[in-house]
Amino acid sequence: MKTLVIGANGKIGRQFCELARTAGLPVKAMIRDSDQQTWFRERGIETVIADLEGSLRHAFYGCDQVVFAAGSGPHTGPDKTLMIDLNGAIRAIDLAAELGLSRFLMVSAIRAETPLDGPEKLRPYLAAKHAADDHLRASRVPYVIAKPGRLTDEAATLRLATSPEEAGDNRISRANVAHALLHLAQERALTRREFVLLDGERRIGDALA
């Protein structure tokens, strides 16, 4: 059983792929072009070249679940937000449903359900995430939605909180998100669940029980 990682070349995606390889979880890293392959090949991680804005179906072959960690990034305009965070996510969800994949793990955002409450420049991204999350909930695909807070580049602590009240803050390291995704990817029986992900004090397995 293999996990397709969409957004594998991003900061969270790379860390997740490396953790999965170490843990013995087979993954296929979806990347946009061959220039991105070297990093993965050096670590013995399988890649497939595909594009959320183009040819995509072939990436799913041989995989039984998806980790969707793609994002248009903070330096792109609303056009990329629409094409990647909204349309790209919906295309991936529809393909997972059509091909009968067992699970879809979505990396969303903590305020996705209330986009107007977010910072003004983030609202299009949050609105796209909200629509994609709703599409996933309505699909035939068993899912888990992870909603990280404000991302940092701090080292992993392997400790989480699942609400701002518990955390006392709204931050989480990308490393902790990657470790949480690894746990969720390995917990195959966990479906139709949603988790806020923040840096905290509980062990990952306890926080995501």
Side-chain angles (χ1 to χ4, degrees):
M1 298 299 183
K2 191 173 294 182
T3 299
L4 175 65
V5 185
I6 299 177
N9 198 50
K11 291 183 178 180
I12 292 173
R14 279 193 176 193
Q15 292 187 66
F16 171 78
C17 287
E18 195 159 24
L19 290 171
R21 182 192 60 78
T22 301
L25 178 72
V27 297
K28 184 194 293 187
M30 187 177 122
I31 56 177
R32 287 193 306 275
D33 57 64
S34 58
D35 291 343
Q36 299 173 345
Q37 281 183 317
T38 300
W39 188 92
F40 296 93
R41 283 179 173 169
E42 288 174 347
R43 290 157 178 80
I45 298 168
E46 179 185 354
T47 61
V48 60
I49 296 174
D51 193 341
L52 286 170
E53 298 182 79
S55 181
L56 184 61
R57 173 184 288 267
H58 64 283
F60 286 73
Y61 298 155
C63 297
D64 76 312
Q65 71 173 351
V66 172
V67 169
F68 190 98
S72 57
H75 305 299
T76 60
D79 56 337
K80 289 296 183 184
T81 300
L82 284 172
M83 293 307 297
I84 294 174
D85 301 300
L86 179 56
N87 192 61
I90 287 174
R91 290 181 66 212
I93 293 163
D94 289 348
L95 278 168
E98 179 186 341
L99 298 172
L101 271 64
S102 66
R103 277 202 315 168
F104 197 108
L105 279 61
M106 174 70 81
V107 180
S108 183
I110 192 172
R111 286 191 290 259
E113 64 275 10
T114 55
L116 294 180
D117 292 341
E120 185 173 356
K121 71 176 185 177
L122 277 181
R123 289 174 188 171
Y125 169 78
L126 295 173
K129 282 294 188 186
H130 178 45
D133 291 350
D134 273 351
H135 191 78
L136 180 56
R137 294 182 188 106
S139 74
R140 302 189 305 273
V141 185
Y143 64 84
V144 177
I145 300 175
K147 301 176 180 180
R150 183 166 64 85
L151 297 168
T152 75
D153 290 320
E154 299 296 323
T157 63
L158 307 183
R159 296 288 188 272
L160 296 180
T162 54
S163 72
E165 293 77 19
E166 179 187 356
D169 202 345
N170 71 336
R171 295 179 296 175
I172 184 167
S173 69
R174 291 177 174 86
N176 276 342
V177 174
H179 279 278
L181 289 174
L182 177 65
H183 175 84
L184 293 171
Q186 292 173 314
E187 291 292 320
R188 294 289 184 135
L190 195 64
T191 63
R192 305 215 171 256
R193 297 290 304 277
E194 303 186 21
F195 297 99
V196 168
L197 301 181
L198 299 169
D199 289 334
E201 300 298 329
R202 285 190 286 163
R203 292 181 301 177
I204 289 174
D206 294 334
L208 303 181

